[in-house]
């Protein structure tokens, strides 16, 4: 629903979902906590629709498969991701929308560190395309990446990091319940 709201103001959002934390046998969320694992979007929407008596579905299997491919066949994964981004750009153009990409839908990887093609990360391969993410990792080397917006995630146990993130100029995302007072 949130990405559909973006369409009403001219944006088409594409989100990459990998298997979170260690679900696929690889750590895609180095700062994962018990609280964020419990509240993870991994089982929201179609990711959480299981047939009675089953503990997995095609969405979960695809996320695990993609995660394993990222760690075990990085070059093939990055070429497939490049093709998917190119397809998304074309799909958005067909309907007159601006494409935006979130690579950490259910992960927290530092995409700036990974080459998509030799010598260029995804942001360098698509300099005219906007990317955005949420992270719990302080100190990511994103200064100078004009087409990447990163918001710091407030979660259980990282209050000190939130204060440092504010000092470093990050936007902050926080989750709160209906009974909790809105942050000011």
């Amino acid at each position: 629903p949130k990405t559909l709201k973006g369409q009403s103001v001219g944006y088409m959002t594409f989100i990459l979902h990998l298997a979170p934390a260690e679900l696929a046998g690889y750590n895609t969320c180095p700062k994962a906590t018990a609280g964020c694992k419990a509240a993870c979007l991994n089982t929201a929407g179609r990711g959480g629709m299981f047939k009675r008596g089953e503990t997995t579905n095609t969405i979960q299997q695809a996320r695990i498969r993609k995660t394993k491919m990222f760690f075990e066949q990085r070059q093939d994964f990055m070429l497939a991701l490049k093709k998917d981004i190119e397809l998304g750009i074309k799909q958005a153009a067909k309907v007159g929308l601006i494409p935006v990409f979130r690579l950490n839908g259910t992960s927290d990887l530092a995409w700036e560190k990974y080459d998509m093609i030799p010598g260029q990360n995804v942001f360098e391969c698509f300099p005219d395309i906007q990317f955005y993410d949420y992270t719990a990792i302080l100190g990511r080397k994103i200064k100078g990446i004009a087409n990447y917006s990163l918001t710091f995630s407030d979660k259980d146990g990282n209050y000190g990091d939130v204060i440092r993130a504010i000092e470093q100029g990050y936007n902050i995302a926080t989750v709160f319940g209906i009974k909790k007072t809105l942050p000011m």
Side-chain angles (χ1 to χ4, degrees):
K2 188 165 64 169
T3 59
L4 292 176
K5 289 178 186 177
Q7 288 185 19
S8 69
V9 292
Y11 297 95
M12 182 177 277
T13 303
F14 299 89
I15 303 174
L16 172 63
H17 290 280
L18 298 176
E22 298 91 13
L23 190 65
Y26 297 98
N27 190 355
T28 59
C29 304
K31 296 284 189 168
T33 63
C36 71
K37 287 178 184 179
C40 185
L41 294 176
N42 183 49
T43 55
R46 288 190 167 84
M49 293 181 185
F50 301 96
K51 290 181 182 174
R52 184 165 293 159
E54 293 188 6
T55 59
T56 191
N57 60 33
T58 57
I59 302 295
Q60 295 299 318
Q61 291 164 0
R63 290 175 183 177
I64 290 169
R65 187 176 56 253
K66 286 185 283 186
T67 303
K68 287 182 176 183
M69 186 179 184
F70 174 80
F71 285 98
E72 297 170 7
Q73 301 166 307
R74 178 80 44 83
Q75 185 176 10
D76 292 339
F77 176 91
M78 295 305 268
L79 289 175
L81 178 60
K82 185 175 184 292
K83 288 179 184 176
D84 285 346
I85 291 171
E86 291 167 345
L87 180 61
I89 292 167
K90 288 178 186 175
Q91 287 176 342
K94 273 185 184 178
V95 292
L97 296 173
I98 299 167
V100 293
F101 294 85
R102 179 178 172 196
L103 301 178
N104 282 321
T106 43
S107 58
D108 193 358
L109 298 172
W111 289 96
E112 64 275 10
K113 296 187 334 186
Y114 304 108
D115 281 357
M116 177 162 269
I117 61 173
Q120 288 188 323
N121 63 35
V122 63
F123 313 115
E124 294 164 327
C125 284
F126 297 96
D128 299 324
I129 300 300
Q130 183 63 49
F131 294 85
Y132 75 99
D133 271 320
Y134 298 86
T135 190
I137 304 168
L138 273 179
R140 292 198 30 204
K141 309 291 186 225
I142 61 160
K143 291 213 187 293
I145 304 176
N147 61 334
Y148 192 38
S149 175
L150 198 55
T151 297
F152 193 80
S153 295
D154 173 16
K155 58 185 179 176
D156 59 312
N158 77 340
Y159 182 74
D161 285 346
V162 170
I163 298 302
R164 286 187 285 285
I166 291 169
E167 292 169 353
Q168 294 174 23
Y170 279 89
N171 289 324
I172 309 296
T174 188
V175 176
F176 49 90
I178 295 171
K179 294 182 181 182
K180 184 175 176 181
T181 304
L182 292 173
M184 297 296 163

